[in-house]
Amino acid sequence: MNRWTYPDLKTLMAKASPLRSGDVLAGLAAETAEENVLAKMSLADVPLKRFLAEPLVPYDEDEVTRLILDSHDAAAFAPVSHMTVGQFRDWLLSDAADTAALAQLAPGLTPEMVAAVSKLMRNQDLILAAKKVTVVTRFRDTIGLPGRLSTRLQPNHPTDDPKGVAASMLDGLLLGSGDAVIGVNPASDNLATLGDLMRLLDEAIQRFQIPTQSCILTHVTSSIELINRGAPVDLVFQSIAGTQAANASFGVDLAVLREGLDAGRSLGRGTVGDNLMYFETGQGSALSAGAHHGVDQQTLEARAYGVARAFAPLLVNTVVGFIGPEYLYDGKQIIRAGLEDHFCGKLLGLPLGCDVCYTNHAQADQDDMDTLLTLLATAEVTFIMGVPGADDIMLNYQSTSFHDALYVRELLGLRRAPEFEAWMSQVGLADAAGRLSADAGRHPLLELLS
């Protein structure tokens, strides 16, 4: 006999989650492996419709819940509305769930539904289902096409030194990185410094006519102010979470995000599209802010994607191992979380990328990251990070390098964004097939250091 009972849906969801240290820390995890399996069995019998009737975070207390439920597309949901969570899993893995069907379904799914079904899936299920989904976005190039893998060139510097940023940017461009974005995490929040960094990136993009976009990953309100001051802002960035209170801890709400989107679009800087928001997320952010409402961290991560899709972003990525071992303890938990996040984001219709990463005090190493990178690439993740040597000297964590992207592209035959790939061929950085040129070491891009 099952000796465990669950007072509500959010408790059942938490008990059915694969083990992770954050849920243990929050006191939400299953007590034993047996309880976890029995909770999964109970969750499999839950009708998908129940998630519309029983919000995990109260409707009247949370604007994220209101956004999710008020924007739900009942017509899109209709084809699966009769299913339980377990039946939905089986359908996702069937031939009936093809790329076209999943694209039409996305507006009808809530984050809680996709989080629930992910809890019933093995890693291979998450990979297979996510691979079926195609999400394409555009600003100055086209990201997310089948058979493509983009990279964010991340030239961070601990003092925002322009020459240090330029050197890392040059390194990445010569190795074919940067088609998703050239994005800097600034060490300073000084507006003058941020403006200087923006102009540095923009000058390089314009001077060499690179079909990509730049981003300074500062607070959305700083981006709005820089736009008001005439700075060359391409993408508007913000870290987001899955509850109103957690977003408030970041100093944002939905209205501020809408203001950032409108400000960015007012500049009209896109050439092939106007997707210009860039969001980052991470399992555990709501718990670290004391704003999790007793909901497990993976479900709250999926709710962050519910926030993101309201703003038609160019890029969304989970910084999967960055928050630390308190939330994802080791390589096994990080790998599982990365596959869950990618699956949930793609199913909700987002251009989901992943910062395949870990902090130096986690029980993980670069071999774990190789495994996650390879698995995500087989699932056609939208983009990954490109960090010099995989070692971010400003944020002090380990990610993926320019060479890691070369490895996985060669392994799986993945290409860069088409406009970026054509530019590389045109300027002599690569051949028509995207292979790097042996003469790149004498390229005019070296002028960036002058």
Side-chain angles (χ1 to χ4, degrees):
M1 179 180 293
N2 183 354
R3 62 186 176 87
W4 291 286
T5 58
Y6 308 108
D8 49 36
L9 189 52
K10 70 180 180 181
T11 304
L12 175 61
M13 290 272 280
K15 301 300 184 183
S17 294
L19 180 66
R20 61 210 55 203
S21 53
D23 290 339
V24 174
L25 179 65
L28 303 176
E31 295 176 12
T32 66
E34 180 186 7
E35 182 186 15
N36 179 249
V37 171
L38 290 171
K40 283 177 168 30
M41 294 171 65
S42 296
L43 182 60
D45 292 332
V46 171
L48 290 177
K49 286 182 177 178
R50 184 175 169 188
F51 292 97
L52 299 174
E54 187 180 333
L56 305 192
V57 181
Y59 182 92
D60 58 355
E61 296 178 16
D62 188 89
E63 68 172 359
V64 175
T65 299
R66 294 193 290 274
L67 171 68
I68 290 167
L69 294 179
D70 293 350
S71 62
H72 180 251
D73 188 329
F77 179 55
V80 300
S81 62
H82 62 286
M83 294 182 185
T84 64
V85 176
Q87 290 169 335
F88 184 41
R89 172 196 176 274
D90 293 343
W91 180 82
L92 285 171
L93 299 175
S94 74
D95 291 339
D98 59 16
T99 299
L102 291 171
Q104 293 173 356
L105 180 62
L109 297 176
T110 68
E112 292 84 354
M113 292 175 190
V114 300
V117 75
S118 76
K119 298 177 192 301
L120 306 185
M121 292 179 139
R122 292 171 56 186
N123 287 358
Q124 64 176 253
D125 301 334
L126 298 172
I127 293 167
L128 180 61
K131 184 179 175 63
K132 298 181 183 183
V133 181
T134 296
V135 180
V136 178
T137 57
R138 297 175 174 89
F139 190 73
R140 289 203 190 96
D141 58 356
T142 305
I143 297 169
L145 292 168
R148 305 276 175 170
L149 173 68
S150 294
T151 53
R152 170 188 159 193
L153 202 175
Q154 186 169 310
N156 295 344
H157 191 275
T159 63
D160 294 331
D161 179 70
K163 285 192 177 295
V165 171
S168 293
M169 180 166 51
L170 171 65
D171 188 15
L173 288 170
L174 291 176
L175 290 170
S177 183
D179 54 334
V181 62
I182 303 175
V184 174
N185 296 92
S188 171
D189 59 3
N190 177 273
L191 287 174
T193 299
L194 300 178
D196 288 343
L197 288 172
M198 282 184 179
R199 284 182 284 272
L200 169 66
L201 302 188
D202 183 63
E203 180 185 351
I205 289 171
Q206 301 302 330
R207 180 178 175 185
F208 296 101
Q209 298 183 310
I210 308 171
T212 191
Q213 35 284 325
S214 66
C215 185
I216 303 301
L217 282 71
T218 187
H219 196 270
V220 61
T221 55
S222 295
S223 294
I224 293 169
E225 179 57 29
L226 287 164
I227 290 170
N228 292 335
R229 296 185 182 190
V233 177
D234 286 344
L235 306 189
V236 176
F237 171 81
Q238 184 56 47
S239 295
I240 56 172
T243 69
Q244 178 178 336
N247 283 323
S249 75
F250 292 148
V252 298
D253 57 22
L254 299 180
V256 170
L257 296 178
R258 176 63 58 184
E259 184 180 354
L261 174 62
D262 292 343
R265 284 185 172 169
S266 72
L267 298 181
R269 292 175 61 82
T271 57
V272 298
D274 65 353
N275 302 116
L276 57 79
M277 297 299 285
Y278 177 14
F279 295 116
E280 285 191 343
T281 65
Q283 288 194 26
S285 58
L287 176 58
S288 67
H292 63 292
H293 293 270
V295 179
D296 69 273
Q297 66 182 38
Q298 186 263 332
T299 299
L300 292 179
E301 173 72 5
R303 281 171 55 94
Y305 305 151
V307 173
R309 72 173 171 179
F311 299 93
L314 180 74
L315 305 167
V316 181
N317 75 266
T318 167
V319 193
V320 66
F322 183 74
I323 301 181
E326 299 84 1
Y327 307 98
L328 295 170
Y329 179 72
D330 57 14
K332 181 179 177 67
Q333 291 188 12
I334 291 171
I335 289 167
R336 173 69 191 192
L339 295 177
E340 288 171 346
D341 294 351
H342 179 246
F343 164 84
C344 289
K346 291 284 283 292
L347 217 61
L348 290 169
L350 287 176
L352 223 292
C354 184
D355 189 345
V356 179
C357 65
Y358 63 101
T359 57
N360 290 310
H361 61 311
Q363 298 299 308
D365 59 26
Q366 214 64 35
D367 285 339
D368 295 315
M369 299 306 102
D370 287 349
T371 299
L372 178 54
L373 169 62
T374 306
L375 294 175
L376 284 170
T378 64
E380 296 207 349
V381 69
T382 303
F383 71 105
I384 60 170
M385 304 299 117
V387 178
D391 182 12
D392 192 301
I393 59 174
M394 196 280 281
L395 293 173
N396 194 30
Y397 79 118
Q398 309 305 310
S399 184
T400 46
S401 71
F402 309 132
H403 294 85
D404 292 333
L406 295 176
Y407 143 73
V408 80
R409 284 192 177 118
E410 181 176 349
L411 177 72
L412 299 174
L414 301 171
R415 309 284 289 266
R416 299 172 182 86
E419 299 89 346
F420 192 90
E421 185 176 84
W423 169 79
M424 288 188 66
S425 177
Q426 178 185 350
V427 301
L429 285 174
D431 63 19
R435 292 183 293 263
L436 294 182
S437 168
D439 295 327
R442 297 189 295 274
H443 196 272
L445 276 168
L446 291 169
E447 297 171 17
L448 282 170
L449 296 181
S450 63

